[in-house]
Amino acid sequence: METCPWCEVGKLSTVMDTVYWELPDGLRAVEIDETPSFYCDNCHVQFQSDETTKEIEDQLFLIDTKQLGKQTTYEELLKMKRVLKRNYFDFT
């Protein structure tokens, strides 16, 4: 089990969490349920891995966000039809 990167003391557990993400156009946010996350038993912070964060951000760039409601699940988001083949704004 990993140590929490925030408090450097607590132990992390894997949880499914609800997160709220601002869309790339900045006009609104979407609720994403059942998102893979980590929870610290010491400082009680919940956060997503860098990989999960990148998956969400890339997918929001690649889909037609007008088709996205106010709420979705992580799996539903990742299954949405892509308009672009890749995130052309990712320069990493």
Side-chain angles (χ1 to χ4, degrees), residues 80-91:
M80 289 187 74
K81 182 181 176 193
R82 294 180 171 187
V83 178
L84 299 173
K85 291 183 182 179
R86 67 180 190 92
N87 182 352
Y88 295 99
F89 299 100
D90 182 4
F91 301 110

Side-chain angles (χ1 to χ4, degrees), residues 20-77:
Y20 299 87
W21 224 272
E22 183 177 339
L23 298 182
D25 62 11
L27 297 177
R28 65 183 178 105
V30 64
E31 177 182 316
I32 307 171
D33 298 323
E34 301 173 27
T35 303
S37 304
F38 293 105
Y39 172 77
C40 173
D41 67 354
N42 181 62
C43 67
H44 309 289
V45 69
Q46 283 189 223
F47 63 96
Q48 293 69 50
S49 69
D50 291 341
E51 294 80 17
T52 299
T53 298
K54 181 163 177 33
E55 284 181 328
I56 292 170
E57 290 181 353
D58 282 350
Q59 186 69 349
L60 290 174
F61 271 111
L62 300 175
I63 64 172
D64 178 5
T65 56
K66 292 179 185 115
Q67 304 300 318
L68 186 61
K70 293 180 180 181
Q71 180 274 335
T72 189
T73 67
Y74 177 76
E75 290 298 322
E76 288 170 346
L77 175 66

